Amino acid sequence: MLFEAFSLRSTQLNNRAVMSPLTRSRASDNNTPNSLMAAYYAQRASAGLIITEGTSPSPNGLGYARIPGLFNDAQVQGWKLVTDAVHAKGGKIVVQLMHTGRVTHQANLPAGAEVLGPSPETCPGEMWTDTQGSQPHTPPRAMTEADIQAVIGEYTKAARLAIQAGFDGIELHAANGYFLEQFLNANINRRTDGYGGTAEGRNRLVLEVARAAVKEIGAERVGIRLSPHGVVNAAGAYEGVDEQYLVLVKQLSALGLMYVHVLDHSAMGAPPVPAKLKADLRAAFDGPFILAGGQDKVSAQQALSEGRADLVAMGRPFIANPDLVERMRQDAPLNAPDPTTFYTPGAKGYTDYPTLASQASTVL
């Protein structure tokens, strides 16, 4: 089943293998995508669907060094290089909209931007900056309701710009302890107004962003990524988390979203997302369902054949294997990724991994 075509709402995919969103930190000029990034994504266009690296809808969301944005014309033109290159190879690509919220350091933000979050607590841990090395996260300013309305507008604009840039859709990043999950998560969201205090209040921002994006570009172009029970960036489980996410996904299902994408980080040492919750979320969403987290060909085939997912996303294997789908099809050996180059500028460890074809020509 992994190599079968699939209809993702109105988008036709060549297979069911999804390239997970992978931060690579190569947008070195004003957070603008470039020709090197276009080459990288084009190399991987044989994936059924590419989900780009996290891309900020706001100057305030550029938490990491050299991550791309999608809020001005230069970024639209940069991303158009990418989408044109992927489409020329017959691929499909959506942009992941990732606002980092409190997961940042002020040194990574452009002039005039600020660190925002649902509550004033600082994210534990440190953040790499190119100018000051590793630094503790900057304390966020707790957002007002006017700030919240402004950021909904930023997501809406980014969705519109994504279509202008040639994307087949967007993915709202509501996982891994970033901005949208900061509102979802009771360990982070300490608000007592209508955007916190209860499960309904914590779900409110995600639903309002999703509805705004759907109104702007159509439900068939809006997906979402979730990571209940995830611990990245001080998220973590809390009382009532399963029930909250089930309600959330039922409401997202009513919108007719492009897909729901659930990430389980247990392969990286985090607590697993309970199998029952995954099954319940799958049942709650009337539409395409993506599973991610430590997947390979065998586990992907099993998830598909057992009906636990419609599509399966893979991350690190796509970093090191631009022709991953073909390698899996042939049961060929995989290249090993080089973690020292995951977030470094330049082509090394980015566009220089060999394909089966290039390895064969080298042997000849």
Side-chain angles (χ1 to χ4, degrees), residues 321 323-324 327-328 330-336 354 356 359:
N321 299 276
D323 57 346
L324 178 63
R327 286 177 185 266
M328 291 192 296
Q330 297 185 28
D331 289 317
L334 301 186
N335 301 319
L356 285 172
Q359 287 172 326

PDB file of all heavy atoms in Angstrom, residues 321 323-324 327-328 330-336 354 356 359:
ATOM      1  N   ASN A 321      18.374  10.414   2.376  1.00  0.00           N
ATOM      2  CA  ASN A 321      18.030   9.631   1.186  1.00  0.00           C
ATOM      3  C   ASN A 321      17.045  10.386   0.315  1.00  0.00           C
ATOM      4  O   ASN A 321      15.828  10.229   0.465  1.00  0.00           O
ATOM      5  CB  ASN A 321      17.435   8.289   1.607  1.00  0.00           C
ATOM      6  CG  ASN A 321      18.402   7.456   2.421  1.00  0.00           C
ATOM      7  OD1 ASN A 321      19.252   6.757   1.883  1.00  0.00           O
ATOM      8  ND2 ASN A 321      18.300   7.563   3.746  1.00  0.00           N
ATOM      9  N   ASP A 323      16.170   9.870  -2.565  1.00  0.00           N
ATOM     10  CA  ASP A 323      15.362   8.919  -3.316  1.00  0.00           C
ATOM     11  C   ASP A 323      14.806   7.831  -2.392  1.00  0.00           C
ATOM     12  O   ASP A 323      14.744   6.645  -2.764  1.00  0.00           O
ATOM     13  CB  ASP A 323      16.188   8.299  -4.441  1.00  0.00           C
ATOM     14  CG  ASP A 323      17.463   7.616  -3.948  1.00  0.00           C
ATOM     15  OD1 ASP A 323      17.851   7.839  -2.774  1.00  0.00           O
ATOM     16  OD2 ASP A 323      18.086   6.865  -4.723  1.00  0.00           O
ATOM     17  N   LEU A 324      14.373   8.222  -1.203  1.00  0.00           N
ATOM     18  CA  LEU A 324      13.932   7.256  -0.194  1.00  0.00           C
ATOM     19  C   LEU A 324      12.842   6.324  -0.716  1.00  0.00           C
ATOM     20  O   LEU A 324      12.866   5.113  -0.452  1.00  0.00           O
ATOM     21  CB  LEU A 324      13.435   7.989   1.059  1.00  0.00           C
ATOM     22  CG  LEU A 324      12.891   7.090   2.171  1.00  0.00           C
ATOM     23  CD1 LEU A 324      13.976   6.171   2.726  1.00  0.00           C
ATOM     24  CD2 LEU A 324      12.276   7.934   3.289  1.00  0.00           C
ATOM     25  N   ARG A 327      14.370   3.677  -2.850  1.00  0.00           N
ATOM     26  CA  ARG A 327      15.165   2.757  -2.018  1.00  0.00           C
ATOM     27  C   ARG A 327      14.251   1.789  -1.265  1.00  0.00           C
ATOM     28  O   ARG A 327      14.548   0.597  -1.154  1.00  0.00           O
ATOM     29  CB  ARG A 327      16.028   3.550  -1.041  1.00  0.00           C
ATOM     30  CG  ARG A 327      17.227   4.248  -1.691  1.00  0.00           C
ATOM     31  CD  ARG A 327      18.010   5.070  -0.679  1.00  0.00           C
ATOM     32  NE  ARG A 327      19.083   5.821  -1.295  1.00  0.00           N
ATOM     33  CZ  ARG A 327      20.351   5.396  -1.400  1.00  0.00           C
ATOM     34  NH1 ARG A 327      20.698   4.209  -0.916  1.00  0.00           N
ATOM     35  NH2 ARG A 327      21.263   6.151  -1.970  1.00  0.00           N
ATOM     36  N   MET A 328      13.138   2.293  -0.737  1.00  0.00           N
ATOM     37  CA  MET A 328      12.213   1.400  -0.046  1.00  0.00           C
ATOM     38  C   MET A 328      11.574   0.424  -1.022  1.00  0.00           C
ATOM     39  O   MET A 328      11.388  -0.756  -0.706  1.00  0.00           O
ATOM     40  CB  MET A 328      11.139   2.214   0.686  1.00  0.00           C
ATOM     41  CG  MET A 328      11.671   3.003   1.871  1.00  0.00           C
ATOM     42  SD  MET A 328      10.371   3.691   2.939  1.00  0.00           S
ATOM     43  CE  MET A 328       9.556   4.841   1.818  1.00  0.00           C
ATOM     44  N   GLN A 330      12.864  -0.862  -3.629  1.00  0.00           N
ATOM     45  CA  GLN A 330      13.846  -1.885  -4.000  1.00  0.00           C
ATOM     46  C   GLN A 330      14.444  -2.602  -2.786  1.00  0.00           C
ATOM     47  O   GLN A 330      15.298  -3.480  -2.962  1.00  0.00           O
ATOM     48  CB  GLN A 330      14.984  -1.249  -4.799  1.00  0.00           C
ATOM     49  CG  GLN A 330      14.598  -0.643  -6.124  1.00  0.00           C
ATOM     50  CD  GLN A 330      15.814  -0.139  -6.904  1.00  0.00           C
ATOM     51  OE1 GLN A 330      16.923  -0.645  -6.761  1.00  0.00           O
ATOM     52  NE2 GLN A 330      15.596   0.864  -7.739  1.00  0.00           N
ATOM     53  N   ASP A 331      14.035  -2.215  -1.570  1.00  0.00           N
ATOM     54  CA  ASP A 331      14.683  -2.720  -0.353  1.00  0.00           C
ATOM     55  C   ASP A 331      16.191  -2.491  -0.403  1.00  0.00           C
ATOM     56  O   ASP A 331      16.994  -3.333   0.036  1.00  0.00           O
ATOM     57  CB  ASP A 331      14.376  -4.207  -0.138  1.00  0.00           C
ATOM     58  CG  ASP A 331      12.933  -4.439   0.269  1.00  0.00           C
ATOM     59  OD1 ASP A 331      12.435  -3.668   1.123  1.00  0.00           O
ATOM     60  OD2 ASP A 331      12.306  -5.366  -0.254  1.00  0.00           O
ATOM     61  N   ALA A 332      16.579  -1.339  -0.941  1.00  0.00           N
ATOM     62  CA  ALA A 332      17.997  -0.988  -1.040  1.00  0.00           C
ATOM     63  C   ALA A 332      18.487  -0.403   0.288  1.00  0.00           C
ATOM     64  O   ALA A 332      17.695   0.130   1.077  1.00  0.00           O
ATOM     65  CB  ALA A 332      18.203   0.029  -2.159  1.00  0.00           C
ATOM     66  N   PRO A 333      19.793  -0.496   0.561  1.00  0.00           N
ATOM     67  CA  PRO A 333      20.326   0.089   1.798  1.00  0.00           C
ATOM     68  C   PRO A 333      20.096   1.600   1.837  1.00  0.00           C
ATOM     69  O   PRO A 333      20.058   2.263   0.794  1.00  0.00           O
ATOM     70  CB  PRO A 333      21.827  -0.231   1.729  1.00  0.00           C
ATOM     71  CG  PRO A 333      21.963  -1.321   0.716  1.00  0.00           C
ATOM     72  CD  PRO A 333      20.839  -1.143  -0.249  1.00  0.00           C
ATOM     73  N   LEU A 334      19.957   2.129   3.052  1.00  0.00           N
ATOM     74  CA  LEU A 334      19.757   3.568   3.232  1.00  0.00           C
ATOM     75  C   LEU A 334      21.050   4.229   3.651  1.00  0.00           C
ATOM     76  O   LEU A 334      21.858   3.658   4.397  1.00  0.00           O
ATOM     77  CB  LEU A 334      18.683   3.828   4.302  1.00  0.00           C
ATOM     78  CG  LEU A 334      17.295   3.250   4.070  1.00  0.00           C
ATOM     79  CD1 LEU A 334      16.338   3.736   5.159  1.00  0.00           C
ATOM     80  CD2 LEU A 334      16.759   3.599   2.683  1.00  0.00           C
ATOM     81  N   ASN A 335      21.248   5.464   3.177  1.00  0.00           N
ATOM     82  CA  ASN A 335      22.338   6.292   3.694  1.00  0.00           C
ATOM     83  C   ASN A 335      22.032   6.671   5.136  1.00  0.00           C
ATOM     84  O   ASN A 335      20.870   6.883   5.498  1.00  0.00           O
ATOM     85  CB  ASN A 335      22.475   7.591   2.885  1.00  0.00           C
ATOM     86  CG  ASN A 335      22.735   7.355   1.418  1.00  0.00           C
ATOM     87  OD1 ASN A 335      23.506   6.480   1.053  1.00  0.00           O
ATOM     88  ND2 ASN A 335      22.087   8.141   0.565  1.00  0.00           N
ATOM     89  N   ALA A 336      23.066   6.803   5.950  1.00  0.00           N
ATOM     90  CA  ALA A 336      22.896   7.261   7.334  1.00  0.00           C
ATOM     91  C   ALA A 336      22.974   8.774   7.386  1.00  0.00           C
ATOM     92  O   ALA A 336      23.859   9.377   6.768  1.00  0.00           O
ATOM     93  CB  ALA A 336      23.965   6.651   8.231  1.00  0.00           C
ATOM     94  N   PRO A 354      24.055  10.931  -1.634  1.00  0.00           N
ATOM     95  CA  PRO A 354      23.956  10.237  -2.918  1.00  0.00           C
ATOM     96  C   PRO A 354      22.622   9.524  -3.113  1.00  0.00           C
ATOM     97  O   PRO A 354      21.983   9.080  -2.156  1.00  0.00           O
ATOM     98  CB  PRO A 354      25.104   9.220  -2.857  1.00  0.00           C
ATOM     99  CG  PRO A 354      25.296   8.954  -1.398  1.00  0.00           C
ATOM    100  CD  PRO A 354      24.999  10.254  -0.714  1.00  0.00           C
ATOM    101  N   LEU A 356      20.645   6.280  -5.378  1.00  0.00           N
ATOM    102  CA  LEU A 356      21.030   4.983  -5.934  1.00  0.00           C
ATOM    103  C   LEU A 356      21.675   5.144  -7.292  1.00  0.00           C
ATOM    104  O   LEU A 356      22.665   4.485  -7.612  1.00  0.00           O
ATOM    105  CB  LEU A 356      19.785   4.089  -6.055  1.00  0.00           C
ATOM    106  CG  LEU A 356      19.225   3.493  -4.759  1.00  0.00           C
ATOM    107  CD1 LEU A 356      17.900   2.803  -5.052  1.00  0.00           C
ATOM    108  CD2 LEU A 356      20.209   2.540  -4.120  1.00  0.00           C
ATOM    109  N   GLN A 359      25.206   6.500  -6.971  1.00  0.00           N
ATOM    110  CA  GLN A 359      26.086   5.476  -6.411  1.00  0.00           C
ATOM    111  C   GLN A 359      26.430   4.430  -7.463  1.00  0.00           C
ATOM    112  O   GLN A 359      27.558   3.975  -7.558  1.00  0.00           O
ATOM    113  CB  GLN A 359      25.427   4.840  -5.197  1.00  0.00           C
ATOM    114  CG  GLN A 359      25.409   5.742  -3.976  1.00  0.00           C
ATOM    115  CD  GLN A 359      24.578   5.177  -2.834  1.00  0.00           C
ATOM    116  OE1 GLN A 359      23.573   4.514  -3.061  1.00  0.00           O
ATOM    117  NE2 GLN A 359      24.991   5.442  -1.612  1.00  0.00           N
TER     118      GLN A 359
END
